[in-house]
Amino acid sequence: MKEFVSSWMDEELAMHRQAVARFIETDMLPNDARWRAEHNVGHAIWRKAGELGFLCADIPTQYGGAGGDFRHEVVLYEELARRGITGFGQGVHSIAAHYLLNHGTEAQKAKYLPQLASGELVGAIGMTEPGAGSDLQGIRTRAQRSGAEYLVNGSKIFITNGYLAGLVMLVVKTDATQGAKGTSILIVETKDLAGFRVGRFLDKIGMHAQDTSELFFDGVRVPADRLLGGTEGRGFAQLMSDLPYERLIVAVQAAATMEGALEATLAYAKSRKAFGKTLMEFQNTRFKLAEIATITRVARTFIDSCIQQQLQGALDDATASMAKWWATDMAHEVLDECVQLHGGYGYMSEYLVARMYADARVPRIYGGTNEIMKELIARSF
Ligand SMILES: Cc1cc2nc3c(=O)[nH]c(=O)nc-3n(C[C@H](O)[C@H](O)[C@H](O)COP(=O)(O)OP(=O)(O)OC[C@H]3O[C@@H](n4cnc5c(N)ncnc54)[C@H](O)[C@@H]3O)c2cc1C
């Protein structure tokens, strides 16, 4: 099949892609089985990614970032997703950094962005609670102002990078009598923080290398200058304004996952024999792969157009929501077919498509469920 090169790629990005791919092949892939067994990737790989300039690639150099643009970020998401590396929660790390970049005070940006770019701090986002997921206005984690501090009580669940995170962008109620207007984001440094506790690694059906955890806050004291942007009640607006960017990241990952799965399944179908032929010689295999290749290409071209819109600052919420629900639903369907074409081997975790199949279920749920995406699209009519 003729190689498809995205219109936003150029020579410099092709070199960046090669360097990223080399890093993943040498420093990540050999460790992935151990990471899955240990349910986290450890701190060393974050620092190495930071040293190589792969973290916060689109954050300005004045804040320690690499000074690139969204395309440099995309290259990392794509190369990870194509190889089924889902333990390294770069998407969430980057989203945390962008909350700071877009909404933080100058002092907050200067203090935290360089540490996120170097991998010294791993970033997490604490929104979801046991009683509030899609309906974020229902969160109960309370931050009560007391002199120069906030007193934080509550808990969060399903937090990506939860175990490794040194910095949590914590969504809290600063005024319990208000809905959205009583919500704020606190920048919480977790190291040696009294009253803070990370729960067990949550036992998931996929993404085994990802340290998804519960976080508990019991009388935690956070200095008042860690209020994102310095004004209470802005949390909801801050979250909303960054949503298209976050949804596009999930869609980019889904498109690249399909590409990686297609490549692996093509190779398998060409080599595996049954009834004296390769699987590829059966018409069903050829038709299924033709369908997968078509869906994958349609996803690629739509996601590429969203990437272009994001680069121009023109990606709207409805379009990003379309990309998120459709690409993640398609990735799930495609992976199901890829597993089927692998036969019993497709159900074995040592095979890429088996791991991708399990991992592809949850992007339909996180980053805003696909039902919520459709609500948002419908609201734009
Ligand atoms: C592996 C993993 C990683 C995650 N990482 C993070 C993270 O880093 N930070 C974080 O804060 N959260 C994270 N989450 C949480 C995730 O964002 C939520 O699970 C998600 O938003 C859904 O919330 P919920 O689980 O409470 O489901 P609910 O909101 O209870 O939804 C249950 C069902 O009802 C549907 N539903 C709800 N409201 C509506 C509606 N208005 N119309 C139609 N259908 C509706 C939903 O679509 C869903 O199908 C993660 C979750 C997982 C599983």
Side-chain angles (χ1 to χ4, degrees):
M1 203 164 45
K2 192 168 165 255
E3 196 196 352
F4 180 85
V5 181
S6 295
S7 53
W8 48 265
M9 280 294 291
D10 63 21
E11 233 173 89
E12 186 261 321
L13 282 160
M15 282 166 61
H16 178 60
R17 190 181 287 284
Q18 272 178 14
V20 166
R22 208 175 315 121
F23 168 61
I24 296 171
E25 300 270 343
T26 48
D27 291 278
M28 291 192 168
L29 277 182
N31 294 313
D32 191 43
R34 179 173 55 83
W35 290 344
R36 278 185 278 121
E38 293 174 356
H39 306 304
N40 77 98
V41 303
H43 280 287
I45 195 70
W46 281 97
R47 293 203 194 94
K48 182 93 194 260
E51 266 168 41
L52 293 168
F54 297 155
L55 298 178
C56 299
D58 63 349
I59 299 283
T61 49
Q62 72 182 106
Y63 301 120
D69 59 40
F70 184 59
R71 297 171 306 163
H72 295 86
E73 287 270 307
V74 168
V75 164
L76 179 56
Y77 299 131
E78 288 182 347
E79 294 306 312
L80 288 167
R82 276 178 194 155
R83 292 168 178 81
I85 299 284
T86 51
F88 186 70
Q90 154 69 8
V92 160
H93 181 81
S94 205
I95 293 164
H98 280 80
Y99 283 148
L100 279 160
L101 182 71
N102 297 336
H103 311 292
T105 63
E106 204 46 48
Q108 290 167 347
K109 290 192 251 194
K111 179 163 186 199
Y112 294 113
L113 284 173
Q115 296 183 72
L116 289 171
S118 68
E120 199 180 318
L121 284 180
V122 176
I125 302 164
M127 289 188 267
T128 308
E129 298 183 0
S134 302
D135 183 11
L136 265 187
Q137 295 206 26
I139 64 157
R140 296 175 67 174
T141 298
R142 182 85 171 92
Q144 212 155 8
R145 182 79 187 242
S146 158
E149 293 175 327
Y150 282 99
L151 193 62
V152 182
N153 284 290
S155 70
K156 298 287 174 182
I157 195 165
F158 306 145
I159 305 307
T160 299
N161 297 342
Y163 170 71
L164 293 173
L167 189 95
V168 180
M169 305 302 285
L170 189 70
V171 183
V172 293
K173 274 271 159 76
T174 37
D175 182 348
T177 65
Q178 303 274 327
K181 287 194 176 127
T183 307
S184 304
I185 300 178
L186 285 183
I187 307 163
V188 178
E189 281 186 68
T190 61
K191 190 162 186 272
D192 302 327
L193 184 63
F196 170 73
R197 187 168 63 81
V198 181
R200 67 195 162 88
F201 293 121
L202 295 171
D203 185 13
K204 309 184 291 294
I205 60 174
M207 294 203 172
H208 293 300
Q210 169 48 233
D211 51 308
T212 320
S213 308
E214 281 175 282
L215 307 180
F216 299 96
F217 301 84
D218 186 9
V220 166
R221 293 181 179 278
V222 177
D225 65 0
R226 308 280 161 82
L227 178 70
L228 184 69
T231 309
E232 281 185 13
R234 295 236 175 115
F236 232 79
Q238 290 165 340
L239 289 174
M240 293 300 131
S241 77
D242 285 16
L243 287 178
Y245 171 82
E246 299 170 23
R247 282 162 188 164
L248 179 54
I249 290 173
V250 181
V252 164
Q253 290 166 332
T257 300
M258 286 189 259
E259 288 165 349
L262 171 62
E263 194 184 318
T265 310
L266 279 171
Y268 188 78
K270 284 177 188 171
S271 64
R272 174 77 176 172
K273 289 213 166 100
F275 299 97
K277 297 174 177 184
T278 63
L279 299 184
M280 195 59 141
E281 289 172 84
F282 297 117
Q283 191 187 48
N284 177 66
T285 310
R286 300 168 68 77
F287 280 15
K288 284 292 176 201
L289 283 165
E291 287 168 17
I292 292 169
T294 307
I295 292 170
T296 303
R297 179 66 61 84
V298 173
R300 165 56 52 203
T301 47
F302 177 42
I303 303 306
D304 278 357
S305 96
C306 293
I307 291 170
Q308 295 282 16
Q309 290 174 58
Q310 173 66 23
L311 288 163
Q312 290 155 10
L315 183 66
D316 64 284
D317 214 6
T319 309
S321 301
M322 288 175 191
K324 195 272 177 184
W325 88 256
W326 190 79
T328 56
D329 266 22
M330 287 307 112
H332 186 241
E333 268 182 35
V334 158
L335 259 305
D336 188 45
E337 293 292 1
C338 291
V339 166
Q340 191 69 18
L341 290 170
H342 275 71
Y345 297 93
Y347 199 65
M348 298 298 125
S349 298
E350 70 193 82
Y351 278 75
L352 177 66
V353 294
R355 299 195 297 276
M356 284 180 157
Y357 172 73
D359 294 355
R361 186 62 187 85
V362 76
R364 297 171 64 202
I365 297 169
Y366 65 37
T369 67
N370 284 2
E371 293 72 33
I372 296 294
M373 294 304 104
K374 290 172 197 174
E375 271 296 323
L376 294 173
I377 296 162
R379 269 184 221 164
S380 74
F381 296 154

